[in-house]
Amino acid sequence: MTSLSIRTVHEPAGFTAVADYFSDVWQTPRSAPPLLPETLNSLAHAGGAVHAAYDGERLVGGCVAVFGPPALRETYSLLAAAEQGLGPQIKRAQQAWAVELGALTMRWTFDPLVGRNARFNFVKLGATGTDYLIDFYGPMADGVNDGDESDRLEVTWDLIGPPRGQSQGQEQGQEHGPSQGKSGNTGPGSPDREAAPATHTAPDGGPLARRDPEDRYVWCRVPDDIVALRAADPELALGWRRAVREVFTKAFAEGFTATGMSRDGWYTLTRREASA
């Protein structure tokens, strides 16, 4: 990376470039991107923001955000993608834009079966998973989601509070929250995930979920690479979708939120009282 620059887009050619980039990421024809250039233009004109990241003259990332209801002082990120390692810079650009205009929080959704995105949202940014949305988009005809049910995990990011997920230790590879690593405890008094009883079995025959005996934490596992699994075995991928859905919807109904993701693919869900 030689000269990374991130800027808001205002001209038609820039909107087209971002739309083309999104098409390449989501593997759709450039004639049918996830968001049309005209749509990006209209969103920006209405007070939203389209950010584009460039390495020299090469487009390497983009994101789109709009404002929510004024009384909530929040923004909503519609779409974001970037080359590996550039995600934090893209989100920080969105954050700076939103805070300058008075926003306090930002929300967005992502596929809960994509563990690397969960790690980015919870560990890098310190966001919190606050809602589970079943088949949110309905059938999707792109090269990433085609053939699956489009469940999404909604996250909320506090734009002005102390960063929940960015301690020095976490930047060096440690995790936020209890029992994020394979070995269990991350500090005195933290429950041991591996010692917690399994409550569900995953489609691959291993444990899918574990629950803290004191009922403060639930852990849920996702497959290593759901995109590859969806292409190789759609039926098995759908089995994972519905199994994880069962764990999340039950936990969220009981007052849990998603607060962490380990390197080995386990979510941490924390009861709201425990995370206060």
Side-chain angles (χ1 to χ4, degrees), residues 71-133:
L72 297 181
R73 298 178 69 183
E74 72 169 16
T75 51
Y76 190 88
S77 181
L78 295 169
L79 211 59
E83 291 190 359
Q84 187 171 3
L86 300 182
Q89 291 97 313
I90 286 283
K91 296 306 290 185
R92 295 300 173 194
Q94 277 190 319
Q95 179 186 32
W97 162 79
V99 169
E100 184 177 2
L101 293 175
L104 302 178
T105 60
M106 181 178 290
R107 292 184 298 130
W108 62 91
T109 66
F110 74 100
D111 185 342
L113 297 187
V114 182
R116 65 182 181 276
N117 287 352
R119 276 185 52 78
F120 173 77
N121 291 329
F122 300 139
V123 179
K124 290 289 186 181
L125 298 181
T128 301
T130 49
D131 198 6
Y132 191 93
L133 308 167

